[in-house]
Amino acid sequence: MLHLFFPFFSLNLYLPACKFFLMDITQRFPLNILLFLTFVPFICPTSTITDILTGALLSLKSDFTDPRNTLQDWSIKSETDPSQLQPTIQSCSWSGITCNANKTTLVSINLSGRNLGGSLSGKKLSFFRDLQHFNLSYNSFSGPLPAEIFNLTELRTLDISRNNFSGEFPGKVSFLGMKSLVLIDAFSNSFSGHLPGNLPQAKALEVLNLAGSYFSGGIPPQYGRFESIRFIHLAGNFLSGRIPPELGSLRTLTHMEIGYNSYEGGIPLEFGNLSEITYLDMADANLSGPIPKELSNLTKLESLFLFQNHLVGLLPWELSRIESLADLDLSDNLISGPIPESFSGLKNLRLLSLFYNSMNGTVPHSISQLPSLETLFIWNNFFGGSLPGDLGMNLNLKWVDVSTNNLVGPIPPRICSGGALTKLIMFSNRFSGTLLPLASGCASLVRLRLEDNSFSGGIPFNFSRLSYIDLSMNNITGPIPPEISGASNLQYFNVSRNPGIRGTIPAGIWSMPSLKNLSMSGCNIGGELPAFGSSCGSVSVIELGENALTGSIPEGISSCHELRRIDFSGNDLTGQIPQGIASLPSLTAFDLSRNNLTGLIPSRFGDSLSLRQFNVSFNDMYGSIPSGKAFISMDRSSYIGNRRLCGPPLRPCPNSVAILGSRSGAKGKLMLVLLLLCLGLVILTTLFVLGLFYFIKGRKRGSWKMISFDGLPQFTPNDILRSFEVSSAGGPVVSSKAVLPTGITVSVKKIEWALRKRMVILLGLINRMGDARHPNLARLLGFCHNREVAYLLYDYLPNGNLVERIGTNKHDWRDKLRVVSGIARGLCYLHHECIPPIPHGDLKSSNVVFDDNMEPRLTGFGLKHLAWLSLDSSAVAISDRDSEEFSSAIKDQIEMDIFNFGEIIVDILTNGRLAGSGESIQSKSKDVLLREICSSGNRFVPDGSVKEEVKLVLEIALLCTQRQAADRPTARDALKLLMEHKKPGE
């Protein structure tokens, strides 16, 4: 009544108080609202009578985080319209809010995709009793989902998908009052506990999506009682137990996805009663037993996905009765026997995927008659015989992969008749005949893999769109077509191990704009190497070994800055090694063995930070082998067969100048030498006495030694020790930072020798760690030690670690890919290019640091193994790859490195949202994980080529985090898979 007694009192001061007073009253006494509103004018201004819902929305907003200020229009306007005959809701004009026609009640709240966060209050939701649609999808809400939301009895759709709600899904509430609820979409959250069993009480429910969370236990048998359900999605959780046969009673169901869980037993026979089903996905669900023939009763089924299970037995011929079937994927199971001839009846089949099974027999002719077939995957089976002669005649065939079988005969002559074939993969079979079927009508081909067969004849096909060609290990004859120089899309070309090719290398081959890999080893190719122009910048691998090449290596090769591997071995090359090759920044392998080269080895090779393999054996090289770091790991085999070559690891180089020179003046020079010898003897005696004194003194407290590696000046131990406080506190490995006398800032890691008698072994490992140089490793610059402790000095990189920067590159997919690739390269170097290998041992995001160019570098590598050697008295020195220790301790750490790498990938992809979730992601589907990546705050749009790259990197993470270590790839394999994103058409 303030406005009656104090008309001068500011309306704005007490309006909010009235608003929340009304809210509280209406919540506590909803049955008396009408009576209460009669007296409201004596308490609050008339303009607030109808603002109860507006106030509730503002109260709801106060719990949200809104970094992009998308709810800026959610504010109260002071103007009122006194002519209104009935109360209206002011917030009806706000974004995301929909009211009924006369603006007297709120029917929809849609806040999808606004980057909102925070939690939901059940008390505040209770005001929206007329709400019909509630959409919070694509945000970052967290905390529990309030049970009060299911008291909104008028609610028709609830979409909270792609958030981070956690805890148990409200299941103890009654859904009987939810007579209008048709949709619940909670996809991609973090719910746990059991699936809510009371949901079938919502009689009108048509769509239920609880996929992509952490639900456990079994699927409630009550789910067979849904009366109106059309769509069920429960994939990508931790569900277990047997699939309830009661689900077969869902006669209205059209779409069911329950895969990417770990059930027991097989597919219920009762699923044959799902008469309306069109989409059935039970992939990666640990299912066993045979495929029930009862599934053939599903006459409306269009997509059946049962891949990556343990299904056995024959492929039921009865499935051919499902004439509507368009997608059939039974790959990665234990299915045996042939493809049924009756499959000719599947006139709508687009995808037939049977790879990774134990099937045999021949590919039936009827397969080639399927008019809609686009994709045929039957690789990794035991099929024999020849492919149907008419395969490819239909207009839709796009992708054929029949590799790794026992197939024989020629390429089907009409394979490209449809004009749509983009990928033809036939490697590792026993095919024969010529490549003439590819000469016409195959302009659509992008990827062609025919390696490891018995094909003969020339190379006749069109290069216009091809990006990947592998014809290696066949009987191909004739020269390389000169037209290849005009192949603007070709990235990978491999014809190695075809000794009948002969001819010469086409002159313009290095000008191909996309070429990255050229492999022509063992082809008897002659002539000289074509000149390298300025356009060879994309080439990274050149393999021309075991040919008959003559002439010299063109100087222009030094302009190919992306070169990583060069193999010119086994030719007749002459002349000298071009000096510019030694400056190639990425060169890791260089093989010139068994040629007729002469001259000096360019000394700049010794400065290379990338070179790991170098071979000039059996040439006519002379002079001294360069003494740089790059040559320390090379053994004699890299240089033998060069009788005039000297220096480690070969014979010492002879002195080229006599000490005393000519006889004239020899007497005076002899006296000078004797004088110098005497002076040296005095100096040595003095040093010996001083050394003895310091040795005796040092025996009491432990004398210090300083070892410097490449990149650190020659400091004394005192220089180092004065730069930081020496302390033994904190355990065996302690990290700190220090500034050395010249101003160099280093990161210091402290190692205590628990077993002093093992110092020789430990020092040997530290020296190998110091020799490890790679662009994606933080350098170990040196170490200072006595008989009790060692201080390891690393490059100090001030740009932070991956934990600190994990969410800063949400906008740029390329940044993420660069970080993942850099980590993979560093790990590959440690595992495969260090001999013996150095396990990282503690690979995690905090041990990935960034240099001045924001390139990732691994730090802390080898420290865990070093600590283990220091503590374990049974550990022995590692001398080679075959040692017992390598097969146990190092092997275990290397396998754990791979697992941790997979976890880091997931950490990067989800901006830290799924950090340390290596094991849990195995139970989620790739699609679920992909959507989770998209909902983790990333701003890049995952479609087109980017989506394929994200999928590829995610696939690598899943491989690396396999539960069985034997199923994980090596670091080299993981890096090779990562590089696949550069190969269109895979």
Side-chain angles (χ1 to χ4, degrees), residues 618-630:
F618 299 102
N619 280 281
D620 191 22
M621 310 298 294
Y622 58 78
S624 175
I625 296 171
S627 58
K629 292 281 186 180

Side-chain angles (χ1 to χ4, degrees), residues 81-210:
D81 186 359
S83 65
Q84 291 280 357
L85 298 179
Q86 57 182 347
T88 60
I89 301 172
Q90 188 183 51
S91 52
C92 290
S93 61
W94 293 356
S95 60
I97 302 300
T98 304
C99 297
N100 61 352
N102 55 16
K103 298 184 179 181
T104 58
T105 187
L106 191 153
V107 296
S108 174
I109 300 175
N110 185 351
L111 303 179
S112 177
R114 292 175 177 263
N115 197 33
L116 301 174
S119 57
L120 290 181
S121 167
K123 180 180 289 189
K124 295 168 184 176
L125 290 175
S126 60
F127 290 99
F128 308 114
R129 296 191 177 277
D130 295 321
L131 191 66
Q132 298 178 19
H133 304 284
F134 195 21
N135 189 343
L136 301 177
S137 62
Y138 289 98
N139 283 295
S140 300
F141 290 108
S142 57
L145 182 69
E148 289 86 348
I149 203 167
F150 296 107
N151 292 331
L152 306 178
T153 55
E154 298 300 317
L155 199 64
R156 291 179 51 80
T157 63
L158 173 63
D159 190 346
I160 57 171
S161 61
R162 298 166 181 85
N163 280 283
N164 198 30
F165 288 108
S166 57
E168 293 193 1
F169 192 92
K172 297 181 181 179
V173 299
S174 173
F175 292 91
L176 291 173
M178 309 287 291
K179 296 181 180 180
S180 301
L181 187 64
V182 296
L183 179 145
I184 297 177
D185 190 348
F187 173 79
S188 189
N189 277 279
S190 298
F191 291 111
S192 56
H194 289 235
L195 291 170
N198 289 344
L199 282 175
Q201 294 175 349
K203 303 295 184 181
L205 192 64
E206 297 180 6
V207 176
L208 175 62
N209 191 343
L210 299 178

Side-chain angles (χ1 to χ4, degrees), residues 56 65 69 93 132 233 239 247 305 359 368 382 441 458 488 597 639 691 714 723-724 749-750 790 793 898 901 955:
T65 60
N69 200 22
S93 61
Q132 298 178 19
H233 192 357
L239 301 178
L247 295 182
F305 298 111
M359 300 186 71
S368 65
F382 300 98
S488 59
L597 296 167
Y639 311 108
Q714 293 296 324
S723 301
F724 54 90
K749 295 185 183 293
K750 175 185 174 185
L793 311 180
I898 300 299
F901 175 52
E955 178 86 21

Side-chain angles (χ1 to χ4, degrees), residues 706-965:
M706 179 66 207
I707 306 296
S708 296
F709 300 118
D710 186 30
L712 187 72
Q714 293 296 324
F715 291 113
T716 67
N718 285 337
D719 292 332
I720 302 300
L721 297 176
R722 282 198 305 266
S723 301
F724 54 90
E725 183 179 352
V726 178
S727 170
S728 61
V733 179
V734 179
S735 297
S736 62
K737 184 176 74 171
V739 179
L740 301 182
T742 58
I744 298 175
T745 303
V746 294
S747 174
V748 183
K749 295 185 183 293
K750 175 185 174 185
I751 298 286
E752 293 181 7
W753 310 133
L755 298 167
R756 298 177 190 174
K757 64 181 180 180
R758 308 193 57 75
M759 280 186 59
V760 174
I761 296 173
L762 299 170
L763 293 176
L765 177 57
I766 296 176
N767 275 284
R768 289 201 294 112
M769 291 162 56
D771 288 337
R773 287 290 185 266
H774 188 274
N776 295 111
L777 295 181
R779 295 183 302 172
L780 175 58
L781 298 172
F783 66 103
C784 182
H785 73 94
N786 62 11
R787 293 181 297 113
E788 296 179 349
V789 67
Y791 293 96
L792 279 62
L793 311 180
Y794 288 85
D795 270 328
Y796 176 71
L797 302 175
N799 283 327
N801 59 41
L802 185 56
V803 173
E804 300 164 346
R805 308 190 66 87
I806 195 72
T808 60
N809 59 349
K810 296 178 182 180
H811 295 268
D812 194 341
W813 165 243
R814 293 292 155 201
D815 279 351
K816 290 181 180 290
L817 188 59
R818 178 175 53 81
V819 173
V820 171
S821 300
I823 297 171
R825 281 191 287 268
L827 197 61
C828 184
Y829 172 77
L830 291 173
H831 287 189
H832 299 285
E833 298 186 43
C834 293
I835 302 176
I838 301 175
H840 189 289
D842 193 23
L843 188 61
K844 55 188 177 183
S845 295
S846 59
N847 276 334
V848 178
V849 295
F850 293 91
D851 62 17
D852 293 338
N853 297 318
M854 296 309 298
E855 285 294 325
R857 291 177 179 254
L858 305 185
T859 188
F861 57 87
L863 289 181
K864 186 172 183 180
H865 189 60
L866 192 65
W868 171 73
L869 284 174
S870 173
L871 294 169
D872 191 346
S873 60
S874 63
V876 298
I878 312 303
S879 59
D880 55 59
R881 290 178 179 268
D882 300 321
S883 69
E884 183 179 350
E885 286 298 316
F886 174 67
S887 63
S888 55
I890 290 186
K891 183 174 181 290
D892 291 343
Q893 290 185 34
I894 285 176
E895 289 170 347
M896 199 61 206
D897 282 350
I898 300 299
F899 183 89
N900 293 338
F901 175 52
E903 287 198 321
I904 289 177
I905 293 178
V906 177
D907 198 10
I908 292 171
L909 293 182
T910 62
N911 297 313
R913 180 175 175 182
L914 293 181
S917 58
E919 292 186 1
S920 63
I921 66 170
Q922 292 296 325
S923 62
K924 290 176 174 279
S925 74
K926 296 182 187 68
D927 287 340
V928 168
L929 289 168
L930 188 62
R931 295 185 189 110
E932 200 148 351
I933 291 166
C934 299
S935 65
S936 296
N938 290 308
R939 301 290 179 269
F940 57 82
V941 181
D943 57 10
S945 61
V946 171
K947 185 173 183 180
E948 291 305 311
E949 291 179 9
V950 175
K951 279 182 170 180
L952 172 65
V953 176
L954 178 60
E955 178 86 21
I956 295 168
L958 291 170
L959 288 173
C960 290
T961 52
Q962 291 287 319
R963 292 181 177 89
Q964 298 295 325

